[in-house]
Amino acid sequence: APDDTNIDKIISYVQNCLDALGIQWGMTHTEVKIDENDDGENNNNIRLIEVNVRQHNDHFGPICDACIGYNAMDMCLSAYLDDNNDESLFKSVPDQPLTLYHHGTIVNLACFVEGTIQEICHLQDIERLESVVAMELFPSFTVGEIVQPTKDIRSDCGWVHLIHEDRNILERDYQQICDWMKTMFRVSVK
């Protein structure tokens, strides 16, 4: 996660990308990468990965609500549906987040094995982590199902939402989930 000194640069960079693409209305799912080995002059350490003119594919609203107090879907609906008055949600939100109430992230669960699932490990351990607020393991990753290693977002096996006011706790839990993913599935191989 970027530190606070990069936030203004990231927001400016993304706004410039959207302007260059001619995107003026609606939501986007924009991904950038920060190269921490670059000196960062003139935003040279920020790289555009992709821009999608849609909401993030996951149920991201609750994380945004907890972290900054609003989310893109509610903002978009307010812009389209609310009366054009000063009390609308759309008009009440600043151009960029002013306050970070909590830290949040999504862990997309990956499968590292191939075979028929005999046992699923660590799910209760994950649920007990301090920053975990929601999770889902997809039905195609249950005992008896034949699985392949995850190769992209369409072949992941589920997700975990993490939210916590202490960034260190969130990062600790994130790393623990990543470690547990490697041994999450015990499989038999034919």
Side-chain angles (χ1 to χ4, degrees):
D3 61 32
D4 293 343
T5 60
N6 283 323
I7 297 298
D8 290 338
K9 287 175 29 178
I10 294 167
I11 290 170
S12 175
Y13 179 86
V14 169
Q15 287 171 335
N16 288 337
C17 289
L18 297 177
D19 289 344
L21 293 168
I23 299 171
Q24 298 179 1
W25 308 105
M27 293 185 280
T28 65
H29 169 139
T30 305
E31 291 183 32
V32 297
K33 180 176 181 171
I34 310 300
D35 182 355
E36 295 182 12
N37 296 321
D38 194 307
D39 63 12
E41 289 185 34
N42 301 318
N43 295 340
N44 290 335
N45 66 330
I46 305 172
R47 302 284 186 265
L48 180 66
I49 304 299
E50 66 179 2
V51 174
N52 294 288
V53 186
R54 61 168 172 78
Q55 179 175 329
H56 185 278
N57 207 21
D58 195 4
H59 187 52
F60 206 68
I63 293 175
C64 293
D65 287 339
C67 293
I68 61 172
Y70 55 91
N71 67 74
M73 181 59 82
D74 288 347
M75 293 295 300
C76 189
L77 290 172
S78 175
Y80 288 127
L81 302 175
D82 286 353
D83 292 335
N84 194 13
N85 62 48
D86 291 334
E87 295 176 13
S88 77
L89 175 64
F90 181 74
K91 288 193 172 192
S92 71
V93 173
D95 290 340
Q96 68 184 59
L98 301 176
T99 303
L100 183 64
Y101 303 105
H102 291 90
H103 300 274
T105 193
I106 297 174
V107 181
N108 290 296
L109 297 174
C111 178
F112 287 85
V113 296
E114 181 175 354
T116 302
I117 297 176
Q118 300 299 310
E119 182 181 4
I120 302 169
C121 306
H122 309 301
L123 289 182
Q124 291 176 338
D125 298 322
I126 292 171
E127 289 174 341
R128 284 193 289 264
L129 291 172
E130 199 171 340
S131 66
V132 171
V133 295
M135 68 181 287
E136 179 181 7
L137 185 65
F138 298 143
S140 56
F141 289 87
T142 56
V143 172
E145 295 292 327
I146 298 171
V147 296
Q148 304 271 331
T150 298
K151 55 186 171 188
D152 57 29
I153 194 67
R154 286 181 248 155
S155 61
D156 68 351
C157 53
W159 51 263
V160 182
H161 286 187
L162 302 151
I163 299 172
H164 203 278
E165 58 193 23
D166 185 329
R167 181 179 181 158
N168 293 323
I169 291 172
L170 181 120
E171 289 176 354
R172 177 201 68 200
D173 291 352
Y174 179 91
Q175 187 57 54
Q176 181 62 68
I177 293 167
C178 290
D179 292 343
W180 280 333
M181 270 194 280
K182 297 169 188 158
T183 58
M184 183 175 283
F185 300 106
R186 292 198 182 130
V187 298
S188 62
V189 182
K190 288 187 177 185

